[in-house]
Amino acid sequence: MSKFARLVNNVAVDVVDGDPAEYFHPDIAAQFEEVPSNVEAGWVFADDVWSAGESSNSAETEVFQTVGVIKFKLLFTSPERVKAKELRASDALIDDFWSILDDPRTTEVDLNLSSIQNAIEYTLTAINAAGIAIDVGERKADILSARLL
């Protein structure tokens, strides 16, 4: 079985065995490339060589905030929130994520969690594909910064 990774600044941020389309939205799955079977998340690709060493990528060591649910939702723009709400009817992954946020037992969102970061990227990618023109990477960085626009 082949192994695939999604690279950000030459760092394997997501690594899967098999077809990435089984785990990710098609727009995100398209960003994956085949890698050697020993590559793991966090490995660096430099000078045509994979290594498990430290990266100079500042995003890898960046620590994000934990924010309240209301603030988290407000990190998305009003058009983004409206489109995400609309997409919940047809996209089970978006509905699942936002349902967790709507659960009264959920009081905070840890922006360091890869599952949260993936859900943000997935939601933004779907919003963009649905007609709200945004730069997904820039908006994800804005949201992870926890600064209200």
Side-chain angles (χ1 to χ4, degrees):
M1 178 180 294
S2 296
K3 197 170 208 178
F4 294 86
R6 185 172 67 93
L7 304 179
V8 175
N9 296 327
N10 292 331
V11 177
V13 294
D14 295 306
V15 180
V16 296
D17 288 315
D19 185 2
E22 293 179 21
Y23 308 98
F24 297 92
H25 184 277
D27 293 341
I28 295 172
Q31 299 173 19
F32 281 73
E33 57 188 69
E34 192 166 356
V35 296
S37 62
N38 63 330
V39 171
E40 298 295 335
W43 280 40
V44 179
F45 187 67
D47 300 320
D48 294 326
V49 176
W50 282 100
S51 65
E54 288 294 315
S55 165
S56 62
N57 179 11
S58 63
E60 185 175 88
T61 58
E62 190 168 357
V63 176
F64 300 106
Q65 295 180 32
T66 296
V67 297
V69 173
I70 298 299
K71 180 173 182 179
F72 177 76
K73 288 181 178 183
L74 289 172
L75 293 170
F76 289 82
T77 65
S78 184
E80 291 167 351
R81 289 191 308 273
V82 169
K83 186 56 78 173
K85 184 175 183 177
E86 178 185 310
L87 290 169
R88 287 179 71 169
S90 61
D91 191 313
L93 293 176
I94 291 176
D95 185 51
D96 177 61
F97 176 60
W98 289 80
S99 293
I100 292 168
L101 294 173
D102 291 342
D103 188 311
R105 296 171 292 184
T106 304
T107 59
E108 58 188 24
V109 180
D110 184 349
L111 299 175
N112 291 293
L113 297 175
S114 62
S115 60
I116 297 297
Q117 293 178 16
N118 289 339
I120 292 167
E121 185 169 352
Y122 181 89
T123 300
L124 291 171
T125 299
I127 288 168
N128 188 52
I132 304 289
I134 57 173
D135 179 325
V136 172
E138 182 179 306
R139 286 297 300 128
K140 180 181 176 185
D142 288 343
I143 291 167
L144 292 175
S145 76
R147 282 178 289 131
L148 294 172
L149 299 177

